Amino acid sequence: MVSSSKGVARRPRRTTRPVANRNVPSAAVHGGLRDVQSPNVTSVITLLTDYGLEDGYVAACHGVIAGIAPEARVIDVCHLIPPGDVRRGAAVLAQTIPYLPPGIHIGAVDPGAGGARRAVAVEAGGRLFVGPDNGLLSWAVHASGGALAAYEISNEAHFLRPVSPTFHGRDVFAPVAGRLYGGLSPADVGPEVPVDRLVTLPEPTSLLRDGCVEGEVVSVDRYGNTQLSIAAGDLQALGVRVGDTLGVWLGRRQMSLPYRETFAAVPPGELVAFADSAGLVAIAVNSGDAAQRLGLPPGAHVRLSPTP
């Protein structure tokens, strides 16, 4: 395996919210995901990686899990996270976790594999998250109600042997997840880690002030749609409704965009802003790539306001 590790006028109001907290009703965010689900039942193992689909890396992880926990149902969350893009992986996992059954959730976007970063198992909201302690799991853990306990995965008795330093997804995370599914206590994977010592990614923020809302690009999907940290509710607080026009500032550039229900509400090739399936504002091009056209990478600053 190669190195890819597979009230606005009075004063500004800053809201710092993890990207998943505004995606779904609050009951879902904090673990009451559906009436048919029990937070105490481990029903699945899920897998999110940057391994791609061109090689056998994902299949190897499935194979290890099947050899240890053949009865486990494995759900592939995503394997096309850009190589090493921990932030994109964190966003995808956090925005997907409210719709996944309780279980063991593996994240393997791990540019620090083989280095000093530790591997962890984190208990949150009746779930167990397994992966590198590099922030990848942090937004999903928060979306599940916050970490209750964490353990460093260091007990090599539960690893595949020998362990490749560049493929911990196969040799560490997959076998540990399989054994946890089978009833292994999280405390048996290694020593407890204070939850306040876990690595967390800075949370995307939005700032509502002076008749506008500022935020950043959280992520860019494979279509080039740019998801912002600005919730649709922030625009509603400014009086913006579907059908209105938005003033958009991208650095020094300024433009006006239609705010519509879906990208299909504008002709092909036209830019549009809309509330995406996570309840966050996104900028898209109908049948095109907004990130490429506008030069908007993750982290880029964006400001929105209603137009007269």
Side-chain angles (χ1 to χ4, degrees):
M1 188 101 180
V2 294
S3 60
S4 66
S5 63
K6 344 306 128 240
V8 176
R10 290 197 305 269
R11 90 174 35 170
R13 177 171 66 86
R14 179 174 293 278
T15 55
T16 304
R17 290 167 266 183
V19 76
N21 268 8
R22 294 173 289 181
N23 298 345
V24 292
S26 59
V29 169
H30 294 292
L33 297 182
R34 293 289 184 269
D35 290 340
V36 297
Q37 297 178 7
S38 166
N40 299 314
V41 175
T42 297
S43 57
V44 298
I45 295 175
T46 72
L47 188 57
L48 175 141
T49 77
D50 60 355
Y51 295 165
L53 300 174
E54 297 86 359
D55 303 290
Y57 303 141
V58 174
C61 294
H62 275 265
V64 170
I65 293 169
I68 296 170
E71 72 284 6
R73 178 186 179 190
V74 180
I75 295 177
D76 294 293
V77 176
C78 182
H79 299 296
L80 297 176
I81 301 300
D85 192 341
V86 173
R87 183 183 174 91
R88 173 66 178 159
V92 170
L93 185 59
Q95 293 178 27
T96 306
I97 200 69
Y99 303 99
L100 295 173
I104 316 296
H105 305 284
I106 303 171
V109 181
D110 194 13
R117 73 95 184 100
R118 60 190 165 196
V120 291
V122 183
E123 295 183 75
R127 304 167 182 274
L128 277 169
F129 295 89
V130 172
D133 186 23
N134 62 3
L136 173 67
L137 309 176
S138 60
W139 291 350
V141 165
H142 188 105
S144 299
L148 299 176
Y151 305 89
E152 182 175 3
I153 299 174
S154 58
N155 187 343
E156 297 184 4
H158 305 305
F159 298 173
L160 208 64
R161 306 299 295 176
V163 175
S164 166
T166 60
F167 203 174
H168 285 185
R170 178 193 66 193
D171 298 341
V172 177
F173 305 147
V176 166
R179 292 184 169 91
L180 288 168
Y181 185 94
L184 179 73
S185 169
D188 289 336
V189 305
E192 189 165 2
V193 176
V195 296
D196 61 357
R197 300 294 299 274
L198 293 171
V199 175
T200 59
L201 295 180
E203 296 170 355
T205 61
S206 61
L207 177 62
L208 189 64
R209 64 176 180 185
D210 300 331
C212 68
V213 59
E214 299 178 11
E216 61 184 286
V217 176
V218 174
S219 65
V220 177
D221 68 16
R222 66 191 301 263
Y223 303 104
N225 301 328
T226 61
Q227 182 187 65
L228 309 182
S229 60
I230 298 170
D234 292 333
L235 291 183
Q236 291 175 0
L238 294 174
V240 178
R241 300 292 183 266
V242 172
D244 291 348
T245 300
L246 283 175
V248 181
W249 285 261
L250 311 172
R252 296 182 177 180
R253 290 180 294 165
Q254 180 180 356
M255 65 182 68
S256 296
L257 292 182
Y259 184 54
R260 300 293 184 263
E261 191 169 88
T262 175
F263 52 83
V266 298
E270 293 296 317
L271 283 157
V272 63
F274 64 101
D276 69 8
S277 61
L280 298 172
V281 178
I283 298 175
V285 173
N286 186 5
S287 303
D289 188 320
Q292 185 177 58
R293 180 183 297 189
L294 299 175
L296 284 179
H301 181 264
V302 178
R303 180 158 55 100
L304 307 178
S305 72
T307 58

